[in-house]
Amino acid sequence: MDRILILAQLLLAGFSILGIVAGRPDLLERHLATLAVAFAGTLAAALVPPAAWIRNARWLYAVGLAALILVLFIGVGPESSQKARRWIQLGGFTLQPSEFMKIALVAYLASFFSRRGTDYPISGPVFAIGLAAGLVAVETDIGTALFLLFLAAFILIVIGVPFRRLIAISLLVTLLVASIHGLIIHELQHITLRVDAWRVLNLDPNLIHTFDPEYAKKVEGALYQPERARLYLRSAGLLGHGPSAEPPAGLPARHNDMIFAVITYATGWLGAGMLLVTYGLIFARGLQIATRSTGALSMLALGLTGYLTGQALMNIVVTMAIVPVTGISLPMVSAGGSGLLAAGLAFGILHATARHAGLLEEVAT
């Protein structure tokens, strides 16, 4: 196991436990069990040769795609929405296929461009990126759909896909996603509400008076979560109030999407800074692994690093209300079985890639 990565992973787990204790102590026992499963996933993935993920990338993507389709027919959704379908019920557990599609898409793109080169016709990547993001959008999980697009763009730009190819891929993926999105646009009014709430919060508070009175009430409801998250962040102070302190106000999703605000309130701006440094450590080590690797393994390490740290960045800027609410979790920190397990697997693959690159021996000496 890579010492730097395992240290960062343990730090994230510590922050995760602290956030659950401060935000939802009633979930602590279950959360500890989920963390144990995630670390078991890390160990299992670390034992698999990283090249195996590349060899089986198309199968991984196909299975992920089938799961995304299956969830539309037999899936369940949050209690707040009767139409959203995001999880597959497996006995007492639920599985969210979109979380694992992040890993499958990274492996697919790494496999494709390592075999075909960066200046190859674009039909494969367009289909893979657009169909995956489009199906997740049909689940009405727009935050994850957008993240899949950002993750793919990050990989394509960093590996050096020619500019003309990037433009073509962007246009065709946008067309594919928009075509699927057009089938469900009437079900995505909550996205407009979140955007308008963000505009009222950050740009012009008087904007709410220009809305229809009935719609203005809905916008006020959408303002509740980001306003409370900002209150947590502002009230934290340098050293925080401790995990047992009474919170300043109720905060929806404080154990998953908004756990960064809870951690900040408990540990202060200093603790929040340490959490950011931990993700920075993962980013730096991931880039080092990618640099020391070659071909598909380098792309795989790069993509997984982008997944773990890019999603963390998106979650944090959402919590700070810099961008509208997207409903995306903080990797290896937020509560949630599928998200924690997917992050654990991503760490495991990075551990295996570091071993293949000879970095473990280097650290040991």
Side-chain angles (χ1 to χ4, degrees):
M1 303 287 278
D2 184 89
R3 294 181 183 179
I4 297 176
L5 285 179
I6 199 65
L7 172 62
Q9 195 173 356
L10 288 171
L11 285 172
L12 292 182
F15 277 114
S16 179
I17 294 170
L18 188 148
I20 295 300
V21 169
R24 287 291 303 274
D26 56 305
L27 298 178
L28 180 60
E29 184 176 345
R30 181 176 180 178
H31 184 65
L32 290 174
T34 306
L35 274 175
V37 173
F39 274 92
T42 297
L43 178 60
L47 296 175
V48 176
W53 299 95
I54 301 300
R55 286 196 305 269
N56 297 288
R58 282 177 286 188
W59 288 108
L60 290 172
Y61 177 82
V63 171
L65 205 62
L68 288 178
I69 296 172
L70 186 63
V71 78
L72 298 177
F73 295 95
I74 66 170
V76 296
E79 296 179 358
S80 58
S81 174
Q82 297 180 346
K83 296 181 179 179
R85 296 178 182 271
R86 299 176 187 174
W87 298 279
I88 297 175
Q89 193 74 40
L90 299 173
F93 302 92
T94 56
L95 183 72
Q96 188 173 0
S98 59
E99 291 292 340
F100 301 97
M101 177 52 79
K102 298 166 187 174
I103 297 176
L105 184 61
V106 167
Y108 175 86
L109 293 177
S111 174
F112 181 91
F113 285 105
S114 65
R115 289 181 290 107
R116 304 295 187 181
T118 56
D119 196 11
Y120 188 81
I122 58 176
S123 56
V126 167
F127 179 83
I129 300 168
L131 191 56
L135 286 172
V136 174
V138 172
E139 299 174 8
T140 69
D141 189 357
I142 301 301
T144 300
L146 287 175
F147 180 71
L148 285 173
L149 296 177
F150 292 148
L151 178 60
F154 169 77
I155 295 172
L156 298 183
I157 291 171
V158 176
I159 69 175
V161 172
F163 188 66
R164 67 182 187 282
R165 295 286 188 200
L166 288 175
I167 293 177
I169 291 174
S170 299
L171 291 175
L172 291 176
V173 167
T174 300
L175 179 62
L176 181 58
V177 173
S179 299
I180 299 175
H181 175 269
L183 300 175
I184 57 163
I185 193 168
H186 60 285
E187 299 179 8
L188 300 179
Q189 296 179 358
H190 64 286
I191 302 299
T192 303
L193 280 173
R194 290 176 178 179
V195 172
D196 284 337
W198 177 84
R199 292 168 60 201
V200 170
L201 185 63
N202 291 279
L203 302 180
D204 183 8
N206 295 320
L207 184 64
I208 196 169
H209 301 301
T210 66
F211 298 139
D212 175 85
E214 184 176 349
Y215 184 73
K217 290 182 179 180
K218 295 180 179 179
V219 173
E220 288 178 349
L223 275 168
Y224 183 84
Q225 188 181 48
E227 282 183 334
R228 294 303 181 275
R230 275 195 172 177
L231 179 59
Y232 273 62
L233 297 175
R234 287 197 305 265
S235 306
L238 181 62
L239 300 177
H241 303 274
S244 61
E246 185 71 22
L251 179 62
R254 61 188 182 275
H255 61 295
N256 42 47
D257 299 348
M258 292 292 166
I259 197 169
F260 178 73
V262 175
I263 291 172
T264 301
Y265 186 77
T267 64
W269 303 325
L270 184 60
M274 291 178 62
L275 180 56
L276 291 175
V277 168
T278 303
Y279 281 112
L281 182 64
I282 295 168
F283 184 76
R285 188 58 169 175
L287 289 186
Q288 187 179 21
I289 294 170
T291 302
R292 292 287 295 272
S293 303
T294 58
L297 296 186
S298 178
M299 298 180 196
L300 181 65
L302 182 70
L304 293 176
T305 301
Y307 154 43
L308 292 170
T309 58
Q311 183 169 317
L313 177 63
M314 180 177 286
N315 173 275
I316 290 169
V317 297
V318 164
T319 305
M320 297 174 69
I322 296 174
V323 299
V325 173
T326 59
I328 199 166
S329 62
L330 192 59
M332 211 65 214
V333 176
S334 294
S338 295
L340 280 174
L341 180 55
L345 292 173
F347 270 107
I349 300 171
L350 281 175
H351 283 297
T353 309
R355 181 178 66 249
H356 185 273
L359 288 175
L360 303 193
E361 292 78 4
E362 183 178 290
V363 171
T365 56

